[in-house]
Amino acid sequence: MGKDGNQIPVSKYFERNIEYLNKELRVEKTFDLIHHKIEHGGIKIGMFLLMGSLAETR
């Protein structure tokens, strides 16, 4: 579910989904979240990686 309780839009287009996630996760505004695009065997993969540790949040 999205922030307002609506369903999250999922597109059949990879780039649209990545743009949506980048905007919602604010990837460009934080240094703790990184996005990588990978293509393997003709399949596009978007990986969002959270950097840091739980010990830092205590």
Side-chain angles (χ1 to χ4, degrees):
M1 291 285 178
K3 292 180 200 172
D4 56 1
N6 293 328
Q7 290 186 350
I8 298 171
V10 177
S11 172
K12 66 179 183 177
Y13 299 105
F14 177 78
E15 290 299 327
R16 284 188 191 168
N17 291 323
I18 296 300
E19 287 173 13
Y20 175 79
L21 287 170
N22 278 333
K23 179 182 172 193
E24 288 297 310
L25 297 174
R26 300 177 1 180
V27 172
E28 68 282 347
K29 296 191 185 234
T30 178
F31 61 90
D32 286 339
L33 188 61
I34 308 171
H35 173 244
H36 288 287
K37 292 181 189 175
I38 301 171
E39 188 168 344
H40 180 70
I43 297 173
K44 294 180 181 178
I45 302 166
M47 293 177 22
F48 290 86
L49 305 168
L50 179 61
M51 307 305 284
S53 69
L54 294 174
E56 294 175 3
T57 60
R58 293 183 188 178

